[in-house]
Amino acid sequence: MAIPIDPRGWIQVQKVRNGRGLVALRSFRVGQSVMVVRGKRVTADVVWRYWDRNPKRGANCFRYDADRYIDPDGELGAYANHACDPNTGLVRRARMLVLRAITTIPAGAEITHDYSTLLGADDIWTMRCNCGANQCRGTVRNIAKLPKATLARYRRLGVVPGFILDTVLEG
Ligand SMILES: [Zn+2]
């Protein structure tokens, strides 16, 4: 499949620490939108079926409400990697998800977000992590398993969607 291109030329798929990822071609200030997550709208059932045939595709899907996901297959979002100390977070706008800078991002840096911010407290999915952060958690787990200070920081930054936060507050 062809490597997707950012029409604005702000980010590019490149080789990164772990395979391929999104690299900034310009700098971003805190609060700036880096990318809209494009893709096909699919239900949770469809994502479950991906797990059997193509687990990576399942892992790449972005949850955007209680039971719907964006499947970024063939789009830039498919290359958005996790980091335990990320430089962007996901913000929901209407039915869209946007990666927003939560730190200053210099040109040349990999664009990352924390997968745990889209994993509800009932989500059993986990992933081994090799992101290289001092605070790397080793295994990515759901939002309820985040260190309290990390969750508090993400909440302050507004990068935990309401439907994910609800699963923690209910639990
Ligand atoms: Zn990590």
Side-chain angles (χ1 to χ4, degrees), residues 36-74:
V36 173
V37 179
R38 299 187 193 289
K40 209 166 60 171
R41 263 64 181 175
V42 295
T43 61
D45 288 348
V46 171
V47 176
W48 274 109
R49 286 198 291 276
Y50 290 158
W51 293 117
D52 294 332
R53 295 190 309 249
N54 187 348
K56 185 154 173 38
R57 185 168 180 178
N60 282 342
C61 289
F62 292 78
R63 192 172 176 183
Y64 76 94
D65 73 11
D67 52 22
R68 284 178 297 180
Y69 291 72
I70 296 170
D71 173 5
D73 197 45

PDB file of all heavy atoms in Angstrom, residues 36-74:
ATOM      1  N   VAL A  36      -5.598  15.801  11.713  1.00  0.00           N
ATOM      2  CA  VAL A  36      -6.913  15.189  11.879  1.00  0.00           C
ATOM      3  C   VAL A  36      -6.759  13.705  11.562  1.00  0.00           C
ATOM      4  O   VAL A  36      -6.094  13.348  10.591  1.00  0.00           O
ATOM      5  CB  VAL A  36      -7.946  15.826  10.921  1.00  0.00           C
ATOM      6  CG1 VAL A  36      -9.272  15.076  10.971  1.00  0.00           C
ATOM      7  CG2 VAL A  36      -8.135  17.299  11.252  1.00  0.00           C
ATOM      8  N   VAL A  37      -7.326  12.852  12.404  1.00  0.00           N
ATOM      9  CA  VAL A  37      -7.238  11.407  12.166  1.00  0.00           C
ATOM     10  C   VAL A  37      -8.290  11.008  11.131  1.00  0.00           C
ATOM     11  O   VAL A  37      -9.485  10.986  11.438  1.00  0.00           O
ATOM     12  CB  VAL A  37      -7.445  10.618  13.476  1.00  0.00           C
ATOM     13  CG1 VAL A  37      -7.372   9.111  13.191  1.00  0.00           C
ATOM     14  CG2 VAL A  37      -6.420  11.025  14.520  1.00  0.00           C
ATOM     15  N   ARG A  38      -7.840  10.751   9.916  1.00  0.00           N
ATOM     16  CA  ARG A  38      -8.768  10.366   8.867  1.00  0.00           C
ATOM     17  C   ARG A  38      -8.898   8.852   8.812  1.00  0.00           C
ATOM     18  O   ARG A  38      -7.991   8.134   9.205  1.00  0.00           O
ATOM     19  CB  ARG A  38      -8.272  10.860   7.511  1.00  0.00           C
ATOM     20  CG  ARG A  38      -8.154  12.353   7.470  1.00  0.00           C
ATOM     21  CD  ARG A  38      -7.821  12.887   6.090  1.00  0.00           C
ATOM     22  NE  ARG A  38      -7.436  14.288   6.205  1.00  0.00           N
ATOM     23  CZ  ARG A  38      -8.291  15.275   6.499  1.00  0.00           C
ATOM     24  NH1 ARG A  38      -9.591  15.016   6.645  1.00  0.00           N
ATOM     25  NH2 ARG A  38      -7.864  16.513   6.635  1.00  0.00           N
ATOM     26  N   GLY A  39     -10.044   8.398   8.294  1.00  0.00           N
ATOM     27  CA  GLY A  39     -10.243   6.961   8.143  1.00  0.00           C
ATOM     28  C   GLY A  39     -11.705   6.617   8.029  1.00  0.00           C
ATOM     29  O   GLY A  39     -12.563   7.495   7.985  1.00  0.00           O
ATOM     30  N   LYS A  40     -11.936   5.326   7.992  1.00  0.00           N
ATOM     31  CA  LYS A  40     -13.278   4.788   7.831  1.00  0.00           C
ATOM     32  C   LYS A  40     -13.906   4.638   9.214  1.00  0.00           C
ATOM     33  O   LYS A  40     -13.234   4.230  10.152  1.00  0.00           O
ATOM     34  CB  LYS A  40     -13.113   3.399   7.200  1.00  0.00           C
ATOM     35  CG  LYS A  40     -14.227   2.927   6.344  1.00  0.00           C
ATOM     36  CD  LYS A  40     -13.792   1.711   5.529  1.00  0.00           C
ATOM     37  CE  LYS A  40     -13.360   0.538   6.399  1.00  0.00           C
ATOM     38  NZ  LYS A  40     -13.142  -0.711   5.659  1.00  0.00           N
ATOM     39  N   ARG A  41     -15.185   4.964   9.339  1.00  0.00           N
ATOM     40  CA  ARG A  41     -15.897   4.728  10.602  1.00  0.00           C
ATOM     41  C   ARG A  41     -16.293   3.272  10.685  1.00  0.00           C
ATOM     42  O   ARG A  41     -16.944   2.764   9.768  1.00  0.00           O
ATOM     43  CB  ARG A  41     -17.174   5.579  10.654  1.00  0.00           C
ATOM     44  CG  ARG A  41     -17.050   6.867  11.410  1.00  0.00           C
ATOM     45  CD  ARG A  41     -16.087   7.789  10.762  1.00  0.00           C
ATOM     46  NE  ARG A  41     -15.986   9.026  11.555  1.00  0.00           N
ATOM     47  CZ  ARG A  41     -15.145  10.000  11.284  1.00  0.00           C
ATOM     48  NH1 ARG A  41     -14.325   9.894  10.268  1.00  0.00           N
ATOM     49  NH2 ARG A  41     -15.102  11.066  12.034  1.00  0.00           N
ATOM     50  N   VAL A  42     -15.908   2.597  11.754  1.00  0.00           N
ATOM     51  CA  VAL A  42     -16.272   1.189  11.921  1.00  0.00           C
ATOM     52  C   VAL A  42     -16.780   0.958  13.342  1.00  0.00           C
ATOM     53  O   VAL A  42     -16.502   1.738  14.260  1.00  0.00           O
ATOM     54  CB  VAL A  42     -15.073   0.237  11.637  1.00  0.00           C
ATOM     55  CG1 VAL A  42     -14.652   0.312  10.176  1.00  0.00           C
ATOM     56  CG2 VAL A  42     -13.895   0.555  12.541  1.00  0.00           C
ATOM     57  N   THR A  43     -17.534  -0.139  13.513  1.00  0.00           N
ATOM     58  CA  THR A  43     -18.057  -0.469  14.835  1.00  0.00           C
ATOM     59  C   THR A  43     -17.044  -1.326  15.601  1.00  0.00           C
ATOM     60  O   THR A  43     -16.093  -1.868  15.017  1.00  0.00           O
ATOM     61  CB  THR A  43     -19.361  -1.278  14.728  1.00  0.00           C
ATOM     62  OG1 THR A  43     -19.060  -2.501  14.041  1.00  0.00           O
ATOM     63  CG2 THR A  43     -20.429  -0.494  13.963  1.00  0.00           C
ATOM     64  N   ALA A  44     -17.296  -1.476  16.888  1.00  0.00           N
ATOM     65  CA  ALA A  44     -16.427  -2.308  17.730  1.00  0.00           C
ATOM     66  C   ALA A  44     -16.370  -3.740  17.193  1.00  0.00           C
ATOM     67  O   ALA A  44     -15.320  -4.387  17.245  1.00  0.00           O
ATOM     68  CB  ALA A  44     -16.921  -2.287  19.165  1.00  0.00           C
ATOM     69  N   ASP A  45     -17.493  -4.247  16.647  1.00  0.00           N
ATOM     70  CA  ASP A  45     -17.514  -5.618  16.096  1.00  0.00           C
ATOM     71  C   ASP A  45     -16.491  -5.773  14.984  1.00  0.00           C
ATOM     72  O   ASP A  45     -15.813  -6.798  14.888  1.00  0.00           O
ATOM     73  CB  ASP A  45     -18.899  -5.944  15.517  1.00  0.00           C
ATOM     74  CG  ASP A  45     -19.922  -6.126  16.608  1.00  0.00           C
ATOM     75  OD1 ASP A  45     -19.509  -6.228  17.786  1.00  0.00           O
ATOM     76  OD2 ASP A  45     -21.125  -6.163  16.297  1.00  0.00           O
ATOM     77  N   VAL A  46     -16.413  -4.773  14.123  1.00  0.00           N
ATOM     78  CA  VAL A  46     -15.463  -4.828  13.011  1.00  0.00           C
ATOM     79  C   VAL A  46     -14.033  -4.860  13.552  1.00  0.00           C
ATOM     80  O   VAL A  46     -13.196  -5.644  13.096  1.00  0.00           O
ATOM     81  CB  VAL A  46     -15.667  -3.622  12.066  1.00  0.00           C
ATOM     82  CG1 VAL A  46     -14.543  -3.545  11.029  1.00  0.00           C
ATOM     83  CG2 VAL A  46     -17.026  -3.711  11.386  1.00  0.00           C
ATOM     84  N   VAL A  47     -13.758  -4.035  14.567  1.00  0.00           N
ATOM     85  CA  VAL A  47     -12.410  -4.005  15.144  1.00  0.00           C
ATOM     86  C   VAL A  47     -12.080  -5.371  15.762  1.00  0.00           C
ATOM     87  O   VAL A  47     -10.972  -5.879  15.610  1.00  0.00           O
ATOM     88  CB  VAL A  47     -12.282  -2.871  16.181  1.00  0.00           C
ATOM     89  CG1 VAL A  47     -10.919  -2.905  16.858  1.00  0.00           C
ATOM     90  CG2 VAL A  47     -12.503  -1.521  15.510  1.00  0.00           C
ATOM     91  N   TRP A  48     -13.064  -5.984  16.408  1.00  0.00           N
ATOM     92  CA  TRP A  48     -12.840  -7.319  16.982  1.00  0.00           C
ATOM     93  C   TRP A  48     -12.459  -8.322  15.908  1.00  0.00           C
ATOM     94  O   TRP A  48     -11.593  -9.171  16.108  1.00  0.00           O
ATOM     95  CB  TRP A  48     -14.096  -7.824  17.723  1.00  0.00           C
ATOM     96  CG  TRP A  48     -14.140  -7.343  19.126  1.00  0.00           C
ATOM     97  CD1 TRP A  48     -14.984  -6.408  19.651  1.00  0.00           C
ATOM     98  CD2 TRP A  48     -13.287  -7.752  20.213  1.00  0.00           C
ATOM     99  NE1 TRP A  48     -14.707  -6.203  20.980  1.00  0.00           N
ATOM    100  CE2 TRP A  48     -13.681  -7.009  21.348  1.00  0.00           C
ATOM    101  CE3 TRP A  48     -12.230  -8.660  20.316  1.00  0.00           C
ATOM    102  CZ2 TRP A  48     -13.046  -7.159  22.586  1.00  0.00           C
ATOM    103  CZ3 TRP A  48     -11.603  -8.810  21.554  1.00  0.00           C
ATOM    104  CH2 TRP A  48     -12.017  -8.059  22.663  1.00  0.00           C
ATOM    105  N   ARG A  49     -13.099  -8.222  14.742  1.00  0.00           N
ATOM    106  CA  ARG A  49     -12.772  -9.162  13.657  1.00  0.00           C
ATOM    107  C   ARG A  49     -11.366  -8.919  13.130  1.00  0.00           C
ATOM    108  O   ARG A  49     -10.691  -9.865  12.716  1.00  0.00           O
ATOM    109  CB  ARG A  49     -13.809  -9.084  12.531  1.00  0.00           C
ATOM    110  CG  ARG A  49     -15.136  -9.736  12.919  1.00  0.00           C
ATOM    111  CD  ARG A  49     -15.985 -10.056  11.700  1.00  0.00           C
ATOM    112  NE  ARG A  49     -16.491  -8.869  11.036  1.00  0.00           N
ATOM    113  CZ  ARG A  49     -17.605  -8.216  11.399  1.00  0.00           C
ATOM    114  NH1 ARG A  49     -18.312  -8.644  12.434  1.00  0.00           N
ATOM    115  NH2 ARG A  49     -17.998  -7.158  10.735  1.00  0.00           N
ATOM    116  N   TYR A  50     -10.901  -7.663  13.162  1.00  0.00           N
ATOM    117  CA  TYR A  50      -9.516  -7.392  12.745  1.00  0.00           C
ATOM    118  C   TYR A  50      -8.529  -8.181  13.606  1.00  0.00           C
ATOM    119  O   TYR A  50      -7.484  -8.619  13.133  1.00  0.00           O
ATOM    120  CB  TYR A  50      -9.163  -5.907  12.892  1.00  0.00           C
ATOM    121  CG  TYR A  50      -9.822  -4.964  11.926  1.00  0.00           C
ATOM    122  CD1 TYR A  50      -9.946  -3.622  12.245  1.00  0.00           C
ATOM    123  CD2 TYR A  50     -10.295  -5.401  10.692  1.00  0.00           C
ATOM    124  CE1 TYR A  50     -10.534  -2.727  11.377  1.00  0.00           C
ATOM    125  CE2 TYR A  50     -10.886  -4.505   9.817  1.00  0.00           C
ATOM    126  CZ  TYR A  50     -11.013  -3.168  10.161  1.00  0.00           C
ATOM    127  OH  TYR A  50     -11.575  -2.286   9.316  1.00  0.00           O
ATOM    128  N   TRP A  51      -8.845  -8.320  14.890  1.00  0.00           N
ATOM    129  CA  TRP A  51      -7.901  -8.985  15.796  1.00  0.00           C
ATOM    130  C   TRP A  51      -7.540 -10.372  15.307  1.00  0.00           C
ATOM    131  O   TRP A  51      -6.412 -10.824  15.461  1.00  0.00           O
ATOM    132  CB  TRP A  51      -8.468  -9.090  17.213  1.00  0.00           C
ATOM    133  CG  TRP A  51      -8.624  -7.767  17.883  1.00  0.00           C
ATOM    134  CD1 TRP A  51      -9.797  -7.191  18.301  1.00  0.00           C
ATOM    135  CD2 TRP A  51      -7.597  -6.827  18.208  1.00  0.00           C
ATOM    136  NE1 TRP A  51      -9.542  -5.964  18.836  1.00  0.00           N
ATOM    137  CE2 TRP A  51      -8.215  -5.713  18.798  1.00  0.00           C
ATOM    138  CE3 TRP A  51      -6.210  -6.828  18.038  1.00  0.00           C
ATOM    139  CZ2 TRP A  51      -7.501  -4.606  19.236  1.00  0.00           C
ATOM    140  CZ3 TRP A  51      -5.490  -5.726  18.471  1.00  0.00           C
ATOM    141  CH2 TRP A  51      -6.132  -4.634  19.057  1.00  0.00           C
ATOM    142  N   ASP A  52      -8.497 -11.098  14.712  1.00  0.00           N
ATOM    143  CA  ASP A  52      -8.246 -12.447  14.221  1.00  0.00           C
ATOM    144  C   ASP A  52      -7.315 -12.439  13.021  1.00  0.00           C
ATOM    145  O   ASP A  52      -6.382 -13.216  12.942  1.00  0.00           O
ATOM    146  CB  ASP A  52      -9.563 -13.117  13.808  1.00  0.00           C
ATOM    147  CG  ASP A  52     -10.454 -13.330  15.020  1.00  0.00           C
ATOM    148  OD1 ASP A  52      -9.895 -13.470  16.128  1.00  0.00           O
ATOM    149  OD2 ASP A  52     -11.680 -13.352  14.857  1.00  0.00           O
ATOM    150  N   ARG A  53      -7.627 -11.564  12.065  1.00  0.00           N
ATOM    151  CA  ARG A  53      -6.926 -11.626  10.778  1.00  0.00           C
ATOM    152  C   ARG A  53      -5.697 -10.737  10.716  1.00  0.00           C
ATOM    153  O   ARG A  53      -4.739 -11.039  10.029  1.00  0.00           O
ATOM    154  CB  ARG A  53      -7.877 -11.203   9.654  1.00  0.00           C
ATOM    155  CG  ARG A  53      -9.045 -12.140   9.450  1.00  0.00           C
ATOM    156  CD  ARG A  53      -9.777 -11.772   8.170  1.00  0.00           C
ATOM    157  NE  ARG A  53     -10.100 -10.352   8.142  1.00  0.00           N
ATOM    158  CZ  ARG A  53     -11.332  -9.877   8.237  1.00  0.00           C
ATOM    159  NH1 ARG A  53     -12.349 -10.693   8.359  1.00  0.00           N
ATOM    160  NH2 ARG A  53     -11.545  -8.588   8.203  1.00  0.00           N
ATOM    161  N   ASN A  54      -5.741  -9.599  11.406  1.00  0.00           N
ATOM    162  CA  ASN A  54      -4.712  -8.576  11.242  1.00  0.00           C
ATOM    163  C   ASN A  54      -4.654  -7.720  12.509  1.00  0.00           C
ATOM    164  O   ASN A  54      -5.170  -6.603  12.546  1.00  0.00           O
ATOM    165  CB  ASN A  54      -5.084  -7.721  10.011  1.00  0.00           C
ATOM    166  CG  ASN A  54      -3.988  -6.733   9.652  1.00  0.00           C
ATOM    167  OD1 ASN A  54      -3.050  -6.519  10.413  1.00  0.00           O
ATOM    168  ND2 ASN A  54      -4.122  -6.111   8.505  1.00  0.00           N
ATOM    169  N   PRO A  55      -4.019  -8.267  13.567  1.00  0.00           N
ATOM    170  CA  PRO A  55      -4.023  -7.579  14.870  1.00  0.00           C
ATOM    171  C   PRO A  55      -3.475  -6.156  14.799  1.00  0.00           C
ATOM    172  O   PRO A  55      -3.936  -5.286  15.530  1.00  0.00           O
ATOM    173  CB  PRO A  55      -3.122  -8.463  15.732  1.00  0.00           C
ATOM    174  CG  PRO A  55      -3.085  -9.785  15.062  1.00  0.00           C
ATOM    175  CD  PRO A  55      -3.289  -9.536  13.600  1.00  0.00           C
ATOM    176  N   LYS A  56      -2.507  -5.926  13.905  1.00  0.00           N
ATOM    177  CA  LYS A  56      -1.929  -4.584  13.816  1.00  0.00           C
ATOM    178  C   LYS A  56      -2.987  -3.573  13.369  1.00  0.00           C
ATOM    179  O   LYS A  56      -3.048  -2.461  13.878  1.00  0.00           O
ATOM    180  CB  LYS A  56      -0.742  -4.600  12.836  1.00  0.00           C
ATOM    181  CG  LYS A  56      -0.020  -3.283  12.770  1.00  0.00           C
ATOM    182  CD  LYS A  56       1.427  -3.468  12.346  1.00  0.00           C
ATOM    183  CE  LYS A  56       2.142  -2.152  12.103  1.00  0.00           C
ATOM    184  NZ  LYS A  56       1.798  -1.068  13.016  1.00  0.00           N
ATOM    185  N   ARG A  57      -3.829  -4.018  12.421  1.00  0.00           N
ATOM    186  CA  ARG A  57      -4.889  -3.116  11.968  1.00  0.00           C
ATOM    187  C   ARG A  57      -5.848  -2.803  13.112  1.00  0.00           C
ATOM    188  O   ARG A  57      -6.290  -1.668  13.283  1.00  0.00           O
ATOM    189  CB  ARG A  57      -5.646  -3.756  10.796  1.00  0.00           C
ATOM    190  CG  ARG A  57      -6.670  -2.810  10.204  1.00  0.00           C
ATOM    191  CD  ARG A  57      -7.185  -3.329   8.881  1.00  0.00           C
ATOM    192  NE  ARG A  57      -8.160  -2.399   8.328  1.00  0.00           N
ATOM    193  CZ  ARG A  57      -8.760  -2.569   7.163  1.00  0.00           C
ATOM    194  NH1 ARG A  57      -8.491  -3.635   6.430  1.00  0.00           N
ATOM    195  NH2 ARG A  57      -9.620  -1.672   6.731  1.00  0.00           N
ATOM    196  N   GLY A  58      -6.141  -3.820  13.914  1.00  0.00           N
ATOM    197  CA  GLY A  58      -7.004  -3.587  15.071  1.00  0.00           C
ATOM    198  C   GLY A  58      -6.378  -2.602  16.039  1.00  0.00           C
ATOM    199  O   GLY A  58      -7.036  -1.694  16.542  1.00  0.00           O
ATOM    200  N   ALA A  59      -5.073  -2.775  16.272  1.00  0.00           N
ATOM    201  CA  ALA A  59      -4.373  -1.915  17.233  1.00  0.00           C
ATOM    202  C   ALA A  59      -4.312  -0.467  16.748  1.00  0.00           C
ATOM    203  O   ALA A  59      -4.255   0.460  17.546  1.00  0.00           O
ATOM    204  CB  ALA A  59      -2.956  -2.433  17.467  1.00  0.00           C
ATOM    205  N   ASN A  60      -4.348  -0.280  15.437  1.00  0.00           N
ATOM    206  CA  ASN A  60      -4.238   1.071  14.885  1.00  0.00           C
ATOM    207  C   ASN A  60      -5.540   1.860  14.960  1.00  0.00           C
ATOM    208  O   ASN A  60      -5.541   3.066  14.734  1.00  0.00           O
ATOM    209  CB  ASN A  60      -3.792   1.005  13.420  1.00  0.00           C
ATOM    210  CG  ASN A  60      -2.298   0.732  13.279  1.00  0.00           C
ATOM    211  OD1 ASN A  60      -1.543   0.912  14.234  1.00  0.00           O
ATOM    212  ND2 ASN A  60      -1.885   0.273  12.120  1.00  0.00           N
ATOM    213  N   CYS A  61      -6.655   1.182  15.230  1.00  0.00           N
ATOM    214  CA  CYS A  61      -7.945   1.878  15.215  1.00  0.00           C
ATOM    215  C   CYS A  61      -8.078   2.827  16.401  1.00  0.00           C
ATOM    216  O   CYS A  61      -7.612   2.539  17.498  1.00  0.00           O
ATOM    217  CB  CYS A  61      -9.088   0.869  15.203  1.00  0.00           C
ATOM    218  SG  CYS A  61      -9.221   0.011  13.614  1.00  0.00           S
ATOM    219  N   PHE A  62      -8.724   3.955  16.147  1.00  0.00           N
ATOM    220  CA  PHE A  62      -8.909   4.994  17.166  1.00  0.00           C
ATOM    221  C   PHE A  62     -10.361   4.977  17.619  1.00  0.00           C
ATOM    222  O   PHE A  62     -11.269   5.204  16.819  1.00  0.00           O
ATOM    223  CB  PHE A  62      -8.627   6.378  16.573  1.00  0.00           C
ATOM    224  CG  PHE A  62      -7.204   6.638  16.199  1.00  0.00           C
ATOM    225  CD1 PHE A  62      -6.662   6.118  15.030  1.00  0.00           C
ATOM    226  CD2 PHE A  62      -6.402   7.426  17.008  1.00  0.00           C
ATOM    227  CE1 PHE A  62      -5.340   6.377  14.672  1.00  0.00           C
ATOM    228  CE2 PHE A  62      -5.080   7.699  16.655  1.00  0.00           C
ATOM    229  CZ  PHE A  62      -4.553   7.173  15.495  1.00  0.00           C
ATOM    230  N   ARG A  63     -10.584   4.752  18.897  1.00  0.00           N
ATOM    231  CA  ARG A  63     -11.952   4.781  19.405  1.00  0.00           C
ATOM    232  C   ARG A  63     -12.401   6.237  19.510  1.00  0.00           C
ATOM    233  O   ARG A  63     -11.679   7.076  20.047  1.00  0.00           O
ATOM    234  CB  ARG A  63     -11.955   4.136  20.782  1.00  0.00           C
ATOM    235  CG  ARG A  63     -13.324   3.828  21.312  1.00  0.00           C
ATOM    236  CD  ARG A  63     -13.168   3.027  22.583  1.00  0.00           C
ATOM    237  NE  ARG A  63     -14.456   2.773  23.199  1.00  0.00           N
ATOM    238  CZ  ARG A  63     -14.587   2.148  24.358  1.00  0.00           C
ATOM    239  NH1 ARG A  63     -13.523   1.735  25.017  1.00  0.00           N
ATOM    240  NH2 ARG A  63     -15.785   1.951  24.873  1.00  0.00           N
ATOM    241  N   TYR A  64     -13.611   6.553  19.005  1.00  0.00           N
ATOM    242  CA  TYR A  64     -14.057   7.939  19.124  1.00  0.00           C
ATOM    243  C   TYR A  64     -15.387   8.097  19.816  1.00  0.00           C
ATOM    244  O   TYR A  64     -15.846   9.207  20.035  1.00  0.00           O
ATOM    245  CB  TYR A  64     -14.024   8.679  17.786  1.00  0.00           C
ATOM    246  CG  TYR A  64     -15.141   8.338  16.827  1.00  0.00           C
ATOM    247  CD1 TYR A  64     -16.303   9.093  16.784  1.00  0.00           C
ATOM    248  CD2 TYR A  64     -15.004   7.269  15.953  1.00  0.00           C
ATOM    249  CE1 TYR A  64     -17.310   8.793  15.902  1.00  0.00           C
ATOM    250  CE2 TYR A  64     -16.008   6.960  15.074  1.00  0.00           C
ATOM    251  CZ  TYR A  64     -17.164   7.726  15.046  1.00  0.00           C
ATOM    252  OH  TYR A  64     -18.172   7.418  14.180  1.00  0.00           O
ATOM    253  N   ASP A  65     -16.043   6.982  20.162  1.00  0.00           N
ATOM    254  CA  ASP A  65     -17.118   7.063  21.148  1.00  0.00           C
ATOM    255  C   ASP A  65     -17.296   5.682  21.753  1.00  0.00           C
ATOM    256  O   ASP A  65     -16.431   4.820  21.581  1.00  0.00           O
ATOM    257  CB  ASP A  65     -18.399   7.704  20.598  1.00  0.00           C
ATOM    258  CG  ASP A  65     -19.172   6.812  19.637  1.00  0.00           C
ATOM    259  OD1 ASP A  65     -18.848   5.608  19.533  1.00  0.00           O
ATOM    260  OD2 ASP A  65     -20.082   7.331  18.988  1.00  0.00           O
ATOM    261  N   ALA A  66     -18.395   5.468  22.481  1.00  0.00           N
ATOM    262  CA  ALA A  66     -18.510   4.237  23.255  1.00  0.00           C
ATOM    263  C   ALA A  66     -18.326   2.990  22.395  1.00  0.00           C
ATOM    264  O   ALA A  66     -17.717   2.025  22.839  1.00  0.00           O
ATOM    265  CB  ALA A  66     -19.840   4.209  23.979  1.00  0.00           C
ATOM    266  N   ASP A  67     -18.844   2.974  21.168  1.00  0.00           N
ATOM    267  CA  ASP A  67     -18.698   1.745  20.384  1.00  0.00           C
ATOM    268  C   ASP A  67     -18.327   1.972  18.919  1.00  0.00           C
ATOM    269  O   ASP A  67     -18.535   1.103  18.078  1.00  0.00           O
ATOM    270  CB  ASP A  67     -19.940   0.864  20.495  1.00  0.00           C
ATOM    271  CG  ASP A  67     -21.200   1.640  20.188  1.00  0.00           C
ATOM    272  OD1 ASP A  67     -21.097   2.675  19.503  1.00  0.00           O
ATOM    273  OD2 ASP A  67     -22.276   1.242  20.634  1.00  0.00           O
ATOM    274  N   ARG A  68     -17.776   3.117  18.626  1.00  0.00           N
ATOM    275  CA  ARG A  68     -17.330   3.347  17.253  1.00  0.00           C
ATOM    276  C   ARG A  68     -15.858   3.757  17.200  1.00  0.00           C
ATOM    277  O   ARG A  68     -15.342   4.382  18.137  1.00  0.00           O
ATOM    278  CB  ARG A  68     -18.192   4.405  16.582  1.00  0.00           C
ATOM    279  CG  ARG A  68     -19.548   3.832  16.178  1.00  0.00           C
ATOM    280  CD  ARG A  68     -20.421   4.866  15.554  1.00  0.00           C
ATOM    281  NE  ARG A  68     -20.707   5.923  16.511  1.00  0.00           N
ATOM    282  CZ  ARG A  68     -21.467   6.977  16.223  1.00  0.00           C
ATOM    283  NH1 ARG A  68     -21.983   7.122  15.019  1.00  0.00           N
ATOM    284  NH2 ARG A  68     -21.702   7.888  17.146  1.00  0.00           N
ATOM    285  N   TYR A  69     -15.244   3.371  16.088  1.00  0.00           N
ATOM    286  CA  TYR A  69     -13.809   3.594  15.897  1.00  0.00           C
ATOM    287  C   TYR A  69     -13.554   4.233  14.535  1.00  0.00           C
ATOM    288  O   TYR A  69     -14.371   4.111  13.619  1.00  0.00           O
ATOM    289  CB  TYR A  69     -13.067   2.260  15.933  1.00  0.00           C
ATOM    290  CG  TYR A  69     -13.031   1.581  17.280  1.00  0.00           C
ATOM    291  CD1 TYR A  69     -14.184   0.991  17.815  1.00  0.00           C
ATOM    292  CD2 TYR A  69     -11.857   1.517  18.014  1.00  0.00           C
ATOM    293  CE1 TYR A  69     -14.153   0.363  19.054  1.00  0.00           C
ATOM    294  CE2 TYR A  69     -11.814   0.888  19.250  1.00  0.00           C
ATOM    295  CZ  TYR A  69     -12.965   0.311  19.767  1.00  0.00           C
ATOM    296  OH  TYR A  69     -12.936  -0.314  20.976  1.00  0.00           O
ATOM    297  N   ILE A  70     -12.396   4.872  14.410  1.00  0.00           N
ATOM    298  CA  ILE A  70     -11.898   5.302  13.110  1.00  0.00           C
ATOM    299  C   ILE A  70     -10.797   4.318  12.725  1.00  0.00           C
ATOM    300  O   ILE A  70      -9.842   4.127  13.480  1.00  0.00           O
ATOM    301  CB  ILE A  70     -11.328   6.729  13.173  1.00  0.00           C
ATOM    302  CG1 ILE A  70     -12.443   7.716  13.528  1.00  0.00           C
ATOM    303  CG2 ILE A  70     -10.674   7.104  11.833  1.00  0.00           C
ATOM    304  CD1 ILE A  70     -11.934   9.114  13.844  1.00  0.00           C
ATOM    305  N   ASP A  71     -10.966   3.686  11.560  1.00  0.00           N
ATOM    306  CA  ASP A  71      -9.940   2.783  11.038  1.00  0.00           C
ATOM    307  C   ASP A  71      -9.087   3.579  10.052  1.00  0.00           C
ATOM    308  O   ASP A  71      -9.542   3.903   8.963  1.00  0.00           O
ATOM    309  CB  ASP A  71     -10.620   1.594  10.345  1.00  0.00           C
ATOM    310  CG  ASP A  71      -9.609   0.696   9.636  1.00  0.00           C
ATOM    311  OD1 ASP A  71      -8.388   0.944   9.771  1.00  0.00           O
ATOM    312  OD2 ASP A  71     -10.047  -0.243   8.949  1.00  0.00           O
ATOM    313  N   PRO A  72      -7.836   3.902  10.430  1.00  0.00           N
ATOM    314  CA  PRO A  72      -7.012   4.784   9.593  1.00  0.00           C
ATOM    315  C   PRO A  72      -6.237   4.040   8.519  1.00  0.00           C
ATOM    316  O   PRO A  72      -5.270   4.573   7.982  1.00  0.00           O
ATOM    317  CB  PRO A  72      -6.060   5.400  10.615  1.00  0.00           C
ATOM    318  CG  PRO A  72      -5.819   4.271  11.571  1.00  0.00           C
ATOM    319  CD  PRO A  72      -7.126   3.486  11.641  1.00  0.00           C
ATOM    320  N   ASP A  73      -6.642   2.810   8.208  1.00  0.00           N
ATOM    321  CA  ASP A  73      -5.889   1.998   7.244  1.00  0.00           C
ATOM    322  C   ASP A  73      -5.599   2.801   5.972  1.00  0.00           C
ATOM    323  O   ASP A  73      -6.504   3.347   5.357  1.00  0.00           O
ATOM    324  CB  ASP A  73      -6.699   0.747   6.904  1.00  0.00           C
ATOM    325  CG  ASP A  73      -5.837  -0.313   6.251  1.00  0.00           C
ATOM    326  OD1 ASP A  73      -4.728  -0.547   6.737  1.00  0.00           O
ATOM    327  OD2 ASP A  73      -6.283  -0.893   5.244  1.00  0.00           O
ATOM    328  N   GLY A  74      -4.333   2.871   5.589  1.00  0.00           N
ATOM    329  CA  GLY A  74      -3.951   3.600   4.382  1.00  0.00           C
ATOM    330  C   GLY A  74      -3.802   5.099   4.587  1.00  0.00           C
ATOM    331  O   GLY A  74      -3.452   5.826   3.666  1.00  0.00           O
TER     332      GLY A  74
END
